[in-house]
Amino acid sequence: MSSTAPREPMVVAEQVHKSFGSNHVLRGISLEVSRGEVMCLVGPSGSGKSTFLRCINHLEKINSGRISVDGTLIGYRENNGKLYELSAREAAAQRAGIGMVFQRFNLFPHMTALQNVTTGMVRVQGINQSDAEIEAKKILERVGLSEKLGHYPAHLSGGQQQRVAIARSLAMRPKLMLFDEPTSALDPELVGEVLDVMKELASTGMTMIVVTHEMGFAREVADSLIFMDGGVVVESGKPIDVLNNPQEARTKSFLSKVL
């Protein structure tokens, strides 16, 4: 995306550390994502990409550092220089403004596609059922599922289920969308239909952070590319620069195996 003036940051991470017991998964991650930017995170399994994504909406609690989204500290409030964790209710309210799409679709199996999309609108946002259904139908049409409104997840393909999951997140009108390897559980022939929805979403100016192994998507759609390994940012830059001319030996080694 071209821009003459610096854009405001939507996400700011400062020296984020996260451990699970003795396993130090994130080792001081610092980065910024501008409003309207698409950032792709790539790297080997176990490098901390998905954990970092989950820390952004406080699904995982960080051990030190801080993360802000749209100028608001995530998961904590600051008072006299000290951080105090938010209550579960307060953290959930913050999370409502951050859409997240997982590897597994996490749809409610007993609800139709339409019901999966409307339930959060009604229960969390307090929108009445008829208005929620009108809006949900528009969003499902946007992701190419207008003919599947009454279908249950078991009767949808993996790609269709993932598109329902994206629609469910969009229905909450998020300021930020997080995608955790959204195509990794799909059969190869279904990957394209999900990536097409994500490309359309990026074209509207949605701020997106995408953990992915789809290097073609990163090259075509992302504004920035982060290569992570061992819980640190090894290399970052424009996708064309990192993919075509990596500077770090570890990046070169990884890309030689996936490109």
Side-chain angles (χ1 to χ4, degrees):
M1 296 179 185
S2 60
S3 151
T4 53
R7 289 176 291 181
E8 296 176 26
M10 173 63 78
V11 180
V12 179
E14 303 171 77
Q15 287 298 310
V16 173
H17 287 259
K18 172 64 182 176
S19 296
F20 296 100
S22 61
N23 184 14
H24 196 172
V25 179
L26 300 178
R27 300 171 177 265
I29 300 290
S30 294
L31 56 79
E32 286 192 10
V33 184
S34 297
R35 194 179 303 274
E37 179 179 351
V38 178
M39 175 181 282
C40 282
L41 304 181
V42 304
S45 296
S47 58
K49 308 180 303 296
S50 295
T51 296
F52 176 63
L53 214 62
R54 292 172 65 84
C55 289
I56 293 174
N57 64 1
H58 204 57
L59 285 175
E60 297 289 355
K61 300 175 185 178
I62 62 178
N63 296 112
S64 63
R66 53 200 293 149
I67 299 173
S68 298
V69 172
D70 201 19
T72 299
L73 194 61
I74 293 297
Y76 301 87
R77 71 164 56 84
E78 188 169 18
N79 191 6
N80 293 327
K82 294 186 68 175
L83 297 182
Y84 299 89
E85 189 173 357
L86 299 181
S87 69
R89 181 187 293 271
E90 291 169 321
Q94 281 190 338
R95 206 172 287 130
I98 304 172
M100 186 155 185
V101 178
F102 300 88
Q103 296 179 39
R104 298 291 171 181
F105 322 121
N106 293 348
L107 298 178
F108 297 115
H110 62 289
M111 293 184 181
T112 65
L114 184 64
Q115 290 168 335
N116 263 284
V117 177
T118 58
T119 185
M121 301 168 75
V122 174
R123 295 181 181 179
V124 178
Q125 295 182 320
I127 299 173
N128 72 61
Q129 186 69 39
S130 59
D131 288 344
E133 288 185 5
I134 291 170
E135 183 65 20
K137 287 175 182 177
K138 291 178 184 175
I139 298 170
L140 284 164
E141 180 178 6
R142 180 178 173 186
V143 300
L145 292 174
S146 56
E147 296 180 356
K148 303 291 186 181
L149 303 180
H151 286 59
Y152 290 91
H155 300 132
L156 298 173
S157 71
Q160 290 168 340
Q161 289 184 62
Q162 191 63 294
R163 284 186 281 154
V164 173
I166 293 172
R168 181 177 60 184
S169 287
L170 291 178
M172 302 303 288
R173 299 174 185 169
K175 60 186 83 171
L176 168 69
M177 285 286 287
L178 308 174
F179 293 87
D180 187 8
E181 299 191 30
T183 60
S184 66
L186 300 179
D187 292 333
E189 66 269 23
L190 302 178
V191 168
E193 64 191 51
V194 174
L195 293 180
D196 285 345
V197 170
M198 294 170 64
K199 290 174 187 175
E200 189 274 332
L201 189 56
S203 73
T204 67
M206 174 65 75
T207 309
M208 298 164 58
I209 305 177
V210 185
V211 173
T212 186
H213 294 294
E214 301 290 339
M215 297 301 167
F217 174 84
R219 189 188 298 273
E220 180 183 349
V221 180
D223 298 292
S224 58
L225 183 70
I226 302 285
F227 171 65
M228 288 178 62
D229 190 30
V232 300
V233 173
V234 176
E235 190 162 348
S236 63
K238 293 187 178 300
I240 191 170
D241 295 332
V242 177
L243 295 175
N244 291 0
N245 188 27
Q247 300 300 301
E248 301 292 332
R250 183 66 188 91
T251 316
K252 292 176 184 176
S253 173
F254 172 77
L255 291 176
S256 72
K257 296 177 176 67
V258 300
L259 290 179

